[in-house]
Amino acid sequence: MTETRNPFGQVLVALVTPMTADGEVDWPAVEKHIDHVISEGADGIVVTGTTGETSTLTDAEKVRLVEVGKSVSGGRASVITGGGSNETAHAIELYKASAKAGADGAMVVTPYYNKPTQAGVLTHFRMIADATDLPVILYDIPGRAGIPITYETILRAAKHPNILAVKDAKGDLSEVSRVLNQTDLLYFAGDDANALPTLAIGGTGLIGVTANIAPAPYRAIVDAVNANDLTTATQHHRTLEPLVRAIMTHVPGTVAAKYVLHGLGRIGSPRVRLPLVGPEDHEAAIIEDEMALVRDVAGVDLATFRPDRNAAAGGALPKVAGTTR
């Protein structure tokens, strides 16, 4: 196998989109958050992905997030545009606009809701990869899309010169190993808990939600694996475990990440857009109990953690709604 170039990085943050209490994008907070995660070790950011609330961002907001990401990163990190669409034509338009705005790559999710056959999935990916020169990460997340990208489809997609990588949120590490043996694809863990296991079997990195809160230990895991130091990588993995559980287990990752980021004083509001809502009281209590178990995570000072259940309650309807053209 020839070694695939990696234009994406290894520690990629699935970036939240900070919003004001009324659900408008908080652009100064976006800039501050991007700068923080890059300064703490991220070498890539994925804007407008699932965690960025792509489903309720307008197309104009998605393109502006790429522009802001490029401006703030200043070449320190790659800027990947995520989200896409379950309409192939719309997805192509979005990725073309994102490329024009300066995106370094495109993360293309499996078409959701339509439930196409694998032939349709493959055609969707190929058409998008044909439409721009952006390197493509395929996003395999059957829990949200309703369908997987099958092993056979991944092998066929891998032959396209622009399709370089997979974000795997399927969690089948035996299939990941099989694909790594048969293709030159780069693999990114799409489940935070699988970051180290994916790296340990030859994966490239992670696209992480918890990395919004703590990029530094993920940087440490990747650097340790690169140095063949599994002991150090495992120590960081174990230290992160309660934080990953707090963010990824009880409510959608976006909701928990914003709740914790706000509690740490890193964003001005924990608000999400409807139909997402903030954690209900019992959910917030569980998240706080999990956070109480977090110890010695670099970049997370729990002495300053002041969660605000009232500020997080409910969800917002922005002034300009919808993602259609």
Side-chain angles (χ1 to χ4, degrees):
M1 297 277 171
T2 57
E3 186 148 331
T4 302
R5 65 188 176 91
N6 178 8
F8 308 112
Q10 290 186 279
V11 181
L12 277 60
V13 178
L15 206 77
V16 299
T17 304
M19 292 175 184
T20 61
D22 59 359
E24 299 303 317
V25 177
D26 184 345
W27 293 105
V30 170
E31 293 184 14
K32 181 183 171 188
H33 185 52
I34 291 172
D35 184 65
H36 178 86
V37 297
I38 295 174
S39 298
E40 289 286 302
D43 54 10
I45 56 170
V46 177
V47 296
T48 78
T50 306
T51 308
E53 299 178 67
T54 185
S55 301
T56 50
L57 293 173
T58 66
D59 287 0
E61 287 170 335
K62 292 175 185 179
V63 174
R64 187 173 173 196
L65 279 162
V66 173
E67 293 170 343
V68 170
K70 287 294 285 186
S71 173
V72 174
S73 70
R76 294 176 295 160
S78 65
V79 178
I80 314 300
T81 183
S85 173
N86 63 336
E87 180 200 358
T88 306
H90 185 203
I92 287 170
E93 285 192 15
L94 276 170
Y95 288 121
K96 281 183 173 178
S98 296
K100 194 173 178 182
D104 298 302
M107 188 176 77
V108 183
V109 71
T110 320
Y112 42 88
Y113 185 68
N114 318 52
K115 279 199 158 181
T117 63
Q118 289 296 304
V121 171
L122 184 61
T123 302
H124 180 80
F125 290 148
R126 283 175 171 166
M127 291 284 285
I128 292 167
D130 283 341
T132 82
D133 292 328
L134 293 179
V136 170
I137 305 171
L138 305 182
Y139 187 9
D140 191 6
I141 183 162
R144 287 184 183 272
I147 52 171
I149 314 172
T150 65
Y151 167 75
E152 293 77 13
T153 300
I154 293 172
L155 260 56
R156 293 172 75 186
K159 294 176 182 175
H160 194 291
N162 283 356
I163 296 175
L164 302 188
V166 176
K167 176 184 176 183
D168 177 69
K170 195 156 52 182
D172 184 348
L173 293 177
S174 62
E175 183 179 280
V176 173
S177 290
R178 195 176 172 203
V179 174
L180 289 172
N181 273 346
Q182 298 299 321
T183 73
D184 296 324
L185 289 171
L186 307 168
Y187 254 83
F188 293 90
D191 292 317
D192 288 6
N194 281 343
L196 178 56
T198 300
L199 287 160
I201 61 170
T204 301
L206 61 121
I207 301 174
V209 180
T210 309
N212 280 280
I213 295 149
Y218 286 105
R219 179 81 260 162
I221 287 173
V222 166
D223 289 347
V225 171
N226 290 344
N228 294 314
D229 182 0
L230 191 59
T231 300
T232 298
T234 302
Q235 287 170 348
H236 286 290
H237 168 82
R238 293 179 70 173
T239 301
L240 276 167
E241 187 272 330
L243 180 62
V244 170
R245 193 167 65 244
I247 301 302
M248 302 304 295
T249 309
H250 310 291
V251 293
T254 310
V255 173
K258 283 189 168 183
Y259 186 63
V260 171
L261 284 168
H262 180 251
L264 291 168
R266 299 249 298 273
I267 58 175
S269 168
R271 189 53 53 91
V272 290
R273 283 183 180 172
L274 286 162
L276 291 183
V277 294
E280 294 193 57
D281 213 53
H282 71 282
E283 294 165 334
I286 296 170
I287 292 169
E288 290 161 27
D289 286 347
E290 303 276 27
M291 290 298 295
L293 302 175
V294 175
R295 298 279 187 280
D296 303 322
V297 173
V300 181
D301 181 6
L302 288 177
T304 67
F305 186 51
R306 301 286 185 274
D308 188 336
R309 298 183 189 181
N310 289 331
L317 285 173
K319 295 188 192 81
V320 179
T323 61
T324 52
R325 289 166 283 166

